[in-house]
Amino acid sequence: DIQMTQSPPSLSASVGDRVSITCRASQDIYNSVAWYQQKPGKAPTLLVEAASRLGPGVSSRFSGSGSGSHYTLTISSLQPEDSATFYCQQYYNSPFNFGQGTKLEIK
Amino acid sequence: EVHLVESGGGLVKPGGSLRLSCTASGFNFSSYTMTWVRQAPGKGLEWVSSIDHSSHYLYYVDSVRGRFTISRDSAKDSLYLQMDNLRVEDTAIYHCARVSIAVAVQSGLASWGPGTLVTVSS
């Protein structure tokens, strides 16, 4: 099974800051990674897939990068509405595991 | 607009069974891989099972293989999850989700339902 190790588990930043969240896969997943945002009590929404392709209607403040086994979600110019938990997921091989999540707090 | 709605959750005793349904609308259901993802109270997301658009490829997480069965009925635009021999640790909100790319076996999960709560307790 491919394990997805996500870091940091939590993050606190201010409006206007730029932050990055990292996922490291236990093997090469050939850009088969997606990133999701989940707000309390809501279903997740797709931010990025195929490592760097923005989901439909997603703000350009979000971007994905990486290759091989190392991937990053970057949020530029943080806004109050970005407060949420973020997850990565690999879809290269079953089981299509998620990372453990990163809880982002806006100061 | 893509719309997914789950139903069938509830309270069940350990060892019991439930059948979850997910009704889809707003897209050509028969062209997309569908997935179940669950989230235990206060925990992260866990991928549970996926079925490709033609029902040729079925995938399960190890912890549910042999107890859960995923299926779909394109005539009814519906996805199902038959859950047997339920355990306390299966307690979670169960979401159905649709991949972003038609005919792809897997891609990002672009559309999600709000979920249905399954509680396994004696």
Side-chain angles (χ1 to χ4, degrees):
Chain A
D1 294 2
I2 298 172
Q3 304 305 316
M4 299 296 285
T5 303
Q6 188 173 338
S7 61
S10 62
L11 188 53
S12 182
S14 301
V15 171
D17 283 354
R18 176 187 178 96
V19 298
S20 292
I21 300 168
T22 296
C23 254
R24 187 178 295 276
S26 56
Q27 67 177 70
D28 193 332
I29 55 173
Y30 301 93
N31 290 351
S32 298
V33 66
W35 291 93
Y36 304 89
Q37 178 187 49
Q38 186 180 32
K39 297 185 178 181
K42 300 292 188 183
T45 59
L46 178 66
L47 295 174
V48 172
E49 64 177 333
S52 60
R53 184 167 69 228
L54 282 188
V58 174
S59 169
S60 58
R61 296 185 297 102
F62 294 91
S63 63
S65 62
S67 63
S69 63
H70 193 193
Y71 297 89
T72 301
L73 175 72
T74 299
I75 313 171
S76 63
S77 189
L78 275 176
Q79 300 299 306
E81 62 267 26
D82 296 335
S83 178
T85 301
F86 295 84
Y87 296 92
C88 61
Q89 183 203 17
Q90 68 82 15
Y91 52 88
Y92 180 69
N93 257 346
S94 177
F96 305 113
N97 291 327
F98 289 88
Q100 301 92 330
T102 296
K103 188 171 185 178
L104 173 61
E105 174 200 351
I106 310 297
K107 294 177 191 171
Chain B
E1 181 187 357
V2 174
H3 201 54
L4 299 170
V5 179
E6 304 88 346
S7 60
L11 175 63
V12 62
K13 288 182 167 53
S17 297
L18 278 178
R19 188 195 197 207
L20 305 185
S21 299
C22 170
T23 302
S25 61
F27 65 101
N28 184 5
F29 180 76
S30 63
S31 294
Y32 289 84
T33 289
M34 298 295 296
T35 291
W36 288 99
V37 174
R38 67 185 179 184
Q39 188 166 33
K43 302 297 184 183
L45 301 174
E46 181 182 29
W47 172 82
V48 174
S49 181
S50 292
I51 182 169
D52 80 311
H53 71 285
S54 60
S55 300
H56 284 161
Y57 298 102
L58 311 183
Y59 302 97
Y60 299 95
V61 68
D62 282 350
S63 61
V64 309
R65 186 175 291 112
R67 300 188 299 122
F68 290 10
T69 303
I70 192 171
S71 62
R72 62 191 298 158
D73 184 341
S74 291
K76 296 182 178 180
D77 287 347
S78 292
L79 173 72
Y80 305 102
L81 188 67
Q82 177 66 42
M83 304 188 297
D84 298 320
N85 192 18
L86 280 159
R87 303 169 179 169
V88 171
E89 55 265 34
D90 295 320
T91 295
I93 293 173
Y94 285 72
H95 297 276
C96 67
R98 193 207 82 176
V99 297
S100 62
I101 301 172
V103 184
V105 175
Q106 285 296 328
S107 64
L109 300 172
S111 302
W112 295 65
T116 187
L117 177 62
V118 172
T119 303
V120 185
S121 175
S122 54

